[in-house]
Amino acid sequence: MESEAAIFAGAVFSLFGGGLLVWTATCVHNHRPVAHGVRPVPSATLAGVVAVLALAIGTWCFGRL
């Protein structure tokens, strides 16, 4: 039972982190804002940090199996 929860949590965190990282990279590459109404550099930095943290948590969840 615990392994099913770890698989689900790992998948959710990994998909969210990967999607956010792709979104951020695409916006930065096309010189578009990551978030509307916010300065580009801090928003891209914060989004990148959150994406990497989500991927790290997803990896940690998969490592708990």
Side-chain angles (χ1 to χ4, degrees):
M1 284 304 235
E2 292 176 2
S3 64
E4 292 174 6
I7 291 170
F8 178 74
V12 168
F13 278 113
S14 297
L15 286 173
F16 174 74
L20 184 59
L21 196 61
V22 167
W23 170 261
T24 304
T26 302
C27 287
V28 169
H29 179 71
N30 293 329
H31 302 289
R32 294 185 321 188
V34 176
H36 294 288
V38 183
R39 292 182 304 181
V41 174
S43 64
T45 303
L46 181 62
V49 168
V50 170
V52 170
L53 284 174
L55 286 171
I57 293 170
T59 303
W60 179 77
C61 287
F62 283 130
R64 302 284 295 169
L65 296 175

